Amino acid sequence: MRRLGSTRRSGRTGRRAAVGVACGAALAALTVPAAEARPLGHQSAQGGVHWRPKDPGTPQVRFRGLAAVDRHTAWLAGTAGTVLRTTDGGASWRNVSPPGAADLQFRDVEAFDARRAVVLAVGEGEASRVYRTDDGGATWTESFRNTDPKAFYDCLAFFDRRHGLAMSDPVDGRFRILATGDGGRSWRVLPAAGMPPAPDGEAGFAASGQCLVTSGPKDVWLATGGAAHARVLHSADRGATWTAADTPVPAGDPARGVFALAFRDRAHGLAVGGDYRPDRSSPQAAAVTADGGRTWSPAGTPPPAYRSGAAWLPHSRTAALAVGPTGTDLTTDGGRTWHTIDTGSYDTVDCTPDLSCWAAGEQGRVARLER
């Protein structure tokens, strides 16, 4: 789907977890009305939790791909074929972009550790590609190049270090799924028979790398928009068969729908989105599920505007973050109510089990949540 500028965007692999009970409590202290929200780049007197910029020195790049490994290591993927990596908590960044990729738009990255990562370039036809590195980005191998002009790959997600999926907008009326069983070194297109038909106009959003997310060894969810209803598709067998459920997030336009999903286990999930056009409102821009995505309920107090990324704070069953161009929102009740805690622009967010959260976005913005 052509959107969000020039092109369109995983779920995380279980890393997208939590900041922990202590950090969750501190975040809860930041729950203030949007009118009182202050940039998290400045120390807050309420709880002392804030976004601390980790400037990589690339203001010309927009980072929609983010993979946080731990509080020291994170990978970024963005425009102009850019891939960056830090191993010192963002104090310094190394440009590890694949050679010859300057014309590509990287919108998703999945990292297993400081050395092994997989990145997805999005676009029509051969612009959609997958690369893998095993040496921290010193060298890359192109493991997939799309040759179908009707396909447009948006998102990438892994269940574990070997098994992963990538999804394309509908081809011949159904979303197309790529699968790997060797950590992204090779890929195959899964049969389309297990995928339900896509309504007219339906597609995914290449906005944050979170339109395809996993939980556990086999469950995966896919977010959609553009059609009459914004849907979430679920597979419990690594993408072989899928079921679809409508969400209350508004759709009915190519710019509206569910942009990001986050599941803290195979039952409890969040959906955020809205209308990405800055001059349009985004009512009902969040929804929750407690049954694995079979049914979705609207947030009682949703974020006040379009949000493109979301992440649970692990070691917490109720706290999560949502980010977008106009701010960061926090929920402390499992997604039923959201409160704006920052007005800075971020496109994607990712959290790690060692109590670290990272965010990234336009103009080379990168930050880590600190106390």
Side-chain angles (χ1 to χ4, degrees):
M1 181 176 293
R2 298 175 185 83
R3 48 182 67 159
L4 298 167
S6 58
T7 38
R8 306 164 307 222
R9 187 186 169 61
S10 115
R12 297 296 174 238
T13 60
R15 306 181 319 286
R16 173 170 297 113
V19 178
V21 176
C23 193
L27 279 169
L30 282 172
T31 305
V32 296
E36 302 175 22
R38 71 196 70 187
L40 286 178
H42 298 84
Q43 182 73 14
S44 169
Q46 294 181 299
V49 177
H50 59 287
W51 285 124
R52 181 179 294 277
K54 301 292 183 179
D55 183 14
T58 53
Q60 74 281 8
V61 178
R62 187 164 194 164
F63 294 112
R64 295 186 185 272
L66 167 65
V69 176
D70 52 42
R71 67 180 299 99
H72 303 292
T73 302
W75 296 69
L76 300 169
T79 53
T82 306
V83 179
L84 305 183
R85 185 193 63 151
T86 182
T87 57
D88 56 12
S92 63
W93 295 85
R94 180 183 176 190
N95 188 329
V96 294
S97 305
D103 293 332
L104 300 179
Q105 304 295 311
F106 288 125
R107 295 289 183 94
D108 201 357
V109 54
E110 300 294 326
F112 308 114
D113 50 41
R115 298 185 61 80
R116 291 172 289 185
V118 179
V119 295
L120 171 71
V122 308
E124 294 178 338
E126 293 192 4
S128 286
R129 305 179 193 180
V130 178
Y131 293 82
R132 177 182 166 109
T133 182
D134 289 295
D135 54 14
T139 62
W140 293 86
T141 300
E142 181 183 308
S143 58
F144 172 77
R145 181 179 298 204
N146 174 50
T147 58
D148 189 334
K150 296 180 291 184
F152 189 123
Y153 285 84
D154 298 290
C155 301
L156 181 71
F158 276 81
F159 302 94
D160 52 43
R161 290 174 178 264
R162 294 184 57 82
H163 302 91
L165 302 176
M167 58 81 68
S168 162
D169 286 338
V171 176
D172 298 328
R174 299 174 192 268
F175 284 94
R176 174 168 289 180
I177 303 297
L178 279 182
T180 180
D182 56 12
R185 295 178 178 86
S186 64
W187 298 84
R188 64 186 180 92
V189 175
L190 294 183
M195 178 67 71
D200 186 45
E202 188 174 51
F205 292 96
S208 62
Q210 296 172 324
C211 62
L212 186 73
V213 303
T214 64
S215 180
K218 294 184 178 181
D219 286 279
V220 57
W221 296 263
L222 185 160
T224 81
H229 298 281
R231 302 195 300 169
V232 173
L233 281 63
H234 171 239
S235 172
D237 53 15
R238 290 184 181 162
T241 60
W242 298 78
T243 58
D246 290 345
T247 77
V249 176
D253 184 281
R256 295 202 299 259
V258 175
F259 281 69
L261 299 168
F263 276 78
R264 66 173 173 83
D265 54 41
R266 66 190 310 265
H268 299 88
L270 307 170
V272 300
D275 190 320
Y276 74 78
R277 294 170 292 194
D279 59 338
R280 304 295 178 92
S281 63
S282 293
Q284 297 179 321
V288 298
T289 182
D291 58 12
R294 288 190 291 273
T295 60
W296 292 85
S297 302
T301 304
Y306 155 70
R307 295 295 181 252
S308 56
W312 287 92
L313 290 88
H315 314 307
S316 169
R317 298 174 60 86
T318 57
L321 295 169
V323 299
T326 63
T328 298
D329 302 295
L330 167 72
T331 179
T332 57
D333 58 11
R336 292 188 293 275
T337 60
W338 294 85
H339 304 272
T340 301
I341 58 173
D342 177 60
T343 55
S345 175
Y346 295 102
D347 292 315
T348 187
V349 60
D350 196 13
C351 298
T352 67
D354 70 340
L355 315 184
S356 177
C357 281
W358 298 72
E362 63 182 342
Q363 297 179 343
R365 289 171 61 90
V366 184
R368 194 179 70 183
L369 202 65
E370 295 188 1
R371 295 183 63 187

